[in-house]
Amino acid sequence: MRLSHRVSSLKPSATVAVMNRAAALKAAGVDVLNFSAGEPDFNSPQVAKDAAVAALGANQTKYLPTAGDPATRALIAEFVSTRNRIPNVTPDHVLITAGVKMALYLTMQALFDPPAAGQAPMEMLLPVPAWVSFAPIAELAGAKVVEMPTTTASGFKITPEQLRKAITPRSRVLLINTPSNPCSTMYTPDELAALAQVVAECAATIAPELVIVADELYQHIVFGGVPHKSIGSIPAVAERTITINGPGKSYAMTGWRLGWLSGSGEFGKQAVAAISKLQGQTITSVPGFSLAGMRAALSHADADLAAMRAQFAKRADLIFSRLSAIPKVQVAKPIGAFYAFPDVSAYFGKKSPGGKAIASAGDLAGALLEEQKMAVVPGEDFGGCGKNHIRMSFACGEAQIEEGCKRLAAFLGSLA
Ligand code: GLU
């Protein structure tokens, strides 16, 4: 039986695929060193677990209002107003959904139309390398993705000039992800201000429908001296920015599948109302007892957050120093999120001890898993120069980082 073109042509998520493969090997008793999952190894904060258990005990097991219950929407509106400093945000500007992926999916569905017959699609401008699901989620909504390439040398950041050149009357979305998955880089407040200035100028002239979608999921995992800034806090673009966030990474709550999106001013309110209709026709609402846990985390787990951040900072130093010591591997120092993204392309064209030809990051990741029992994400699906890189999540203990870097160094050294 035929399936839709939409799903038949959809690429599987490379990150999820490697995570699943590593989990299956582990379940089969293979001792895999897993650097694939973008998922903290820490437990969720105790206050969050206690609050969720108490909410279950209090029978908070019914449907919620579609966009979230009033208490949670109010808490997020306050979070976004105070921590992100985004202006003109009320509970009506907030929608709670099932993880940041769903928030992105709903947002793209609300911003793009499939192109009408004979018309060119609207475009999403995407600095690359970028997380593997941004492009497919936008394409599912009918977007054409326009990559804006970055390099290790440019700190994986686009410049205002590059952005200005890429914007056309068909530009609908500029995707900004800072701190970045997979590059672990961040835009400084000044750099964001310069990008916002370009967006504001172009929106007033050639691209009136341009919206910034800001994925700030790693906002609290920063340790390199660059403060996190929300581009939506900049008045010139606040009312054309949708900001997406959630507790998954910062509060070690990935499996709770919670996230939110928020807008500002009149456009933000309209967008949230429209997106709520989509949520009402899809998941109805998120579970109330998990929201009790998220409220507790956001209100009472700052100490947990600080402790995890301190660990990530140590791990970033460790993995950076170990990877930098491997001959011909180029790596940028992670300053936010928890990924190392080394360029391993100097080793392409060689052969592994197991006889596998290493022509790409995918080949290298495959051989590492088979021959070294070590799971990393190959960089091809991150776009741009990602094809020369592998991603290693350092959301794991220091002993694993030491062992993994040792195995990687030995493996690369053994290629002939
Ligand atoms: N966001 C995480 C990652 O990049 C989890 C998997 C996914 O959703 O892509 O590894």
Side-chain angles (χ1 to χ4, degrees):
M1 184 63 80
R2 195 184 68 83
L3 292 172
S4 72
H5 175 71
R6 190 181 306 115
V7 292
S8 308
S9 61
L10 186 62
K11 257 194 197 171
S13 155
T15 47
V16 171
V18 184
M19 274 162 57
N20 288 347
R21 176 108 180 87
L25 284 170
K26 208 158 198 172
V30 182
D31 186 14
V32 180
L33 275 191
N34 190 359
F35 293 94
S36 67
E39 165 161 80
D41 54 329
F42 304 111
N43 291 324
S44 301
Q46 193 60 43
V47 278
K49 293 187 282 190
D50 290 346
V53 169
L56 272 172
N59 293 311
Q60 290 182 25
T61 53
K62 309 288 190 205
Y63 294 130
L64 293 183
T66 297
D69 62 296
T72 309
R73 290 179 88 191
L75 183 72
I76 300 303
E78 193 199 317
F79 181 103
V80 170
S81 304
T82 56
R83 297 205 199 195
N84 300 88
R85 299 175 190 276
I86 297 176
N88 303 322
V89 180
T90 71
D92 287 343
H93 293 83
V94 171
L95 177 126
I96 317 287
T97 187
V100 156
K101 243 173 177 164
M102 192 66 183
L104 278 162
Y105 183 87
L106 295 172
T107 300
M108 296 304 172
Q109 291 289 328
L111 292 175
F112 286 101
D113 281 310
Q119 292 235 318
M122 294 297 279
E123 295 169 355
M124 179 172 85
L125 305 175
L126 182 65
V128 288
W131 176 56
V132 294
S133 293
F134 287 133
I137 288 173
E139 284 162 355
L140 279 170
K144 175 179 169 207
V145 174
V146 176
E147 294 193 345
M148 290 184 287
T150 70
T151 60
T152 312
S154 69
F156 298 111
K157 293 188 274 195
I158 54 163
T159 62
E161 299 71 45
Q162 197 180 359
L163 177 60
R164 194 182 294 279
K165 271 195 203 133
I167 294 176
T168 73
R170 307 215 63 76
S171 302
R172 179 64 163 142
V173 167
L174 166 65
L175 198 298
I176 294 289
N177 172 221
T178 180
S180 148
N181 171 6
C183 304
S184 274
T185 193
M186 290 174 70
Y187 288 94
T188 65
D190 285 349
E191 288 166 345
L192 280 179
L195 296 178
Q197 174 76 21
V198 172
V199 169
E201 279 170 27
C202 292
T205 51
I206 58 165
E209 296 205 325
L210 183 55
V211 171
I212 300 170
V213 175
D215 175 346
E216 303 189 350
L217 182 55
Y218 296 88
Q219 132 167 36
H220 292 292
I221 309 180
V222 301
F223 38 75
V226 174
H228 172 76
K229 183 176 173 81
S230 295
I231 195 163
S233 68
I234 299 171
V237 295
E239 297 205 10
R240 56 174 68 248
T241 301
I242 304 280
T243 304
I244 291 177
N245 208 333
K249 313 286 186 185
S250 303
Y251 293 91
M253 293 176 68
T254 45
W256 296 59
R257 306 311 302 131
L258 293 173
W260 62 82
L261 60 90
S262 65
S264 163
E266 199 42 44
F267 168 68
K269 207 166 160 178
Q270 277 175 16
V272 164
I275 295 170
S276 294
K277 287 191 290 176
L278 269 177
Q279 179 137 296
Q281 293 285 24
T282 50
I283 64 167
T284 304
S285 75
V286 298
F289 55 87
S290 60
L291 283 188
M294 180 171 89
R295 286 196 302 275
L298 297 181
S299 307
H300 305 296
D302 277 2
D304 302 60
L305 198 141
M308 292 188 268
R309 184 169 41 225
Q311 289 299 316
F312 286 130
K314 274 169 68 183
R315 294 166 177 186
D317 283 345
L318 179 63
I319 199 164
F320 175 66
S321 82
R322 296 297 180 264
L323 291 176
S324 306
I326 303 177
K328 294 190 237 152
V329 165
Q330 282 183 18
V331 62
K333 184 150 195 209
I335 60 168
F338 39 62
Y339 303 105
F341 197 53
D343 180 333
V344 288
S345 59
Y347 291 90
F348 295 172
K350 298 185 181 240
K351 217 172 215 164
S352 76
K356 183 160 181 174
I358 308 293
S360 65
D363 291 340
L364 185 65
L368 271 174
L369 189 56
E370 246 165 62
E371 299 177 31
Q372 292 292 327
K373 305 290 171 265
M374 176 173 163
V376 303
V377 180
E380 285 91 339
D381 287 359
F382 296 101
C385 69
K387 64 180 188 301
N388 294 329
H389 296 246
I390 55 172
R391 191 192 76 173
M392 293 174 71
S393 161
F394 56 82
C396 59
E398 289 174 44
Q400 181 176 325
I401 293 172
E402 290 280 15
E403 175 60 21
C405 291
K406 227 184 259 167
R407 281 193 207 179
L408 178 67
F411 181 73
L412 292 176
S414 71
L415 298 178

